[in-house]
Amino acid sequence: MRTALFPGSFDPVTNGHLDVIERASSLFDKIFVAIAINSEKNPLFSFDERKALLEEVCSRFDNVVVDAFDGLLVDAARKFDVSAVIRGLRAISDFEYEFQMAMMNRALSEKCETIFLMPKPAYSFLSSRMIKEIAMFGGDVSPFVPPAVAEALGRKKANLQ
Ligand code: ADP
């Protein structure tokens, strides 16, 4: 059985993340989408909110499970007993950081292979950070995130006002 771990902050999940999850789910028997606990000091969405949104939008994939991890990614990869770690590559700007991380993870654990997947060009400029900024300034994020996420961002904005 080929399994993979897709780690991230997912604050919140975007269509770019979903595109990567969809590609990964057709390549592997099982994907663990793992939310990094405490990776961001100040997330907009709590861990439980991020998990609920991910679970809702991943429910259409029968081989995707949403989980969490804390600490080193190589330790999480070992714990989940996966063959590979999946990361999304958007543009050249992602490359340097992702390359360093993949090499460091391999240095820490020889077995830790990283597989990069590129999203559709239409999603290659999306980031959770930008989506949050657009939503908090009242812009329309519906082309970039699943409907449940657009609604959750609308509620956050209303609560913060
Ligand atoms: P992190 O803080 O670990 O980068 P993110 O939630 O921002 O967490 O991203 C998780 C993974 O998803 C990363 O590999 C990132 O490169 C990838 N990713 C984020 N946005 C996109 C996108 N629009 N298209 C493809 N991959 C993406």
Side-chain angles (χ1 to χ4, degrees):
M1 177 134 145
R2 290 256 169 221
T3 57
L5 185 72
F6 181 39
S9 317
F10 306 105
D11 183 38
V13 56
T14 70
N15 288 343
H17 293 127
L18 267 184
D19 183 292
V20 170
I21 292 169
E22 184 166 8
R23 285 168 204 282
S25 83
S26 67
L27 290 171
F28 287 88
D29 298 309
K30 190 166 185 179
I31 303 290
F32 296 98
V33 177
I35 307 169
I37 301 170
N38 301 331
S39 73
E40 265 196 81
K41 285 192 193 91
N42 216 348
L44 179 64
F45 290 96
S46 68
F47 173 81
D48 289 339
E49 289 171 322
R50 285 179 278 159
K51 184 161 191 277
L53 285 171
L54 264 170
E55 276 170 347
E56 183 170 347
V57 301
C58 289
S59 62
R60 64 188 163 107
F61 307 110
D62 55 15
N63 62 344
V64 174
V65 177
V66 180
D67 213 307
F69 81 102
D70 207 356
L72 285 178
L73 181 57
V74 286
D75 291 335
R78 237 179 253 127
K79 188 189 118 203
F80 283 91
D81 197 20
V82 291
S83 325
V85 169
I86 305 283
R87 295 288 288 174
L89 256 196
R90 281 163 290 195
I92 314 287
S93 52
D94 273 346
F95 182 76
E96 193 168 349
Y97 171 73
E98 293 292 345
F99 183 78
Q100 268 185 354
M101 195 162 84
M103 288 300 156
M104 185 51 82
N105 285 336
R106 188 185 278 169
L108 291 172
S109 167
E110 185 59 37
K111 271 181 63 186
C112 188
E113 288 296 350
T114 305
I115 294 185
F116 294 107
L117 294 173
M118 279 78 71
K120 267 192 203 140
Y123 301 146
S124 62
F125 57 91
L126 283 186
S127 69
S128 298
R129 185 181 53 79
M130 207 172 275
I131 294 297
K132 285 182 280 191
E133 275 177 26
I134 296 168
M136 292 309 127
F137 285 118
D140 178 17
V141 292
S142 60
F144 313 122
V145 294
V149 175
E151 283 161 28
L153 282 163
R155 283 196 299 275
K156 270 285 171 215
K157 182 172 189 293
N159 287 340
L160 292 176
Q161 275 168 350

